[in-house]
Amino acid sequence: MSAESPGARDRISRLRLAFRHWRWQRPFWAGLLTMLAGLPIGYLPYANITLGQMTVRMSTTTGSGALIIGVLLIVLGLTMWFQPVVRVFAGVATILLGLVSIPVANFGGLVVGFLLALFGGGMSVAWAPGETPTEQPAQDAGPAPGVDDADAGDGAGGGEPEPAVAGGARDQESRDGRHRAG
């Protein structure tokens, strides 16, 4: 008899698959990078860094501006996760806040927060939701559009010019969507 119950394993597997499904429906990594960008930008102006016997204080006169930028980046990252419809706005706002953090927040959180904000914003703008696959079986495509068996050799089929292919005439592999390497 096993000490591990199969019910717990199934539950963990089901939770992992549910999280994976949730993660695939939104710009997950863009939101994570954006939230991580907010941490050094918002924290470093209030931190004391100790290097051996020397204490380096990173505070600036615009410490409140750095804190506001850091909090806004964290909120934008959460927005990317929970409202993926506004991902383009959140991505552009993230990039702009990352750029503003250079003069305001100690070179954008010692450049780390700035780079994370740029990558997170860019990923959010570039992300597009995937299409759900259909459960229909693939059908045979047949010959290429505009090419009949009678028109295959004369090149005047269908009134549309055929696309140029390497090597000249179209063969069966190019009609099926495959190509020869080399």
Side-chain angles (χ1 to χ4, degrees):
M1 196 161 164
S2 173
E4 187 177 330
S5 108
R9 185 180 310 140
D10 291 341
R11 197 169 340 145
I12 291 171
S13 176
R14 198 170 33 248
L15 286 173
R16 186 177 56 83
L17 289 174
F19 176 70
R20 181 184 295 172
H21 181 69
W22 177 84
R23 189 182 70 203
W24 285 350
Q25 294 178 346
R26 59 203 76 247
F28 177 78
W29 294 109
L32 184 66
L33 288 178
T34 301
M35 286 188 284
L36 289 175
L39 295 176
I41 290 174
Y43 175 73
L44 285 179
Y46 298 102
N48 291 330
I49 300 172
T50 304
L51 301 171
Q53 298 290 330
M54 185 173 65
T55 301
V56 178
R57 186 167 177 102
M58 302 292 291
S59 65
T60 62
T61 58
T62 58
S64 60
L67 183 63
I68 290 170
I69 290 173
V71 169
L72 282 175
L73 285 173
I74 291 171
V75 168
L76 285 171
L78 290 171
T79 301
M80 290 175 200
W81 278 4
F82 296 109
Q83 295 292 329
V85 175
V86 294
R87 69 188 182 277
V88 175
F89 167 76
V92 170
T94 298
I95 292 170
L96 289 176
L97 284 173
L99 290 171
V100 168
S101 73
I102 291 175
V104 172
N106 295 327
F107 296 111
L110 297 179
V111 183
V112 173
F114 166 70
L115 290 176
L116 287 172
L118 286 186
F119 285 124
M123 288 172 69
S124 178
V125 170
W127 184 84
E131 295 181 16
T132 57
T134 59
E135 295 295 326
Q136 300 173 1
Q139 297 178 358
D140 183 27
V147 176
D148 300 330
D149 290 331
D151 293 338
D154 62 23
E160 302 179 33
E162 289 193 25
V165 294
R170 299 183 69 162
D171 57 355
Q172 182 64 31
E173 288 180 350
S174 66
R175 273 189 246 129
D176 289 340
R178 297 177 295 210
H179 65 282
R180 289 186 297 235

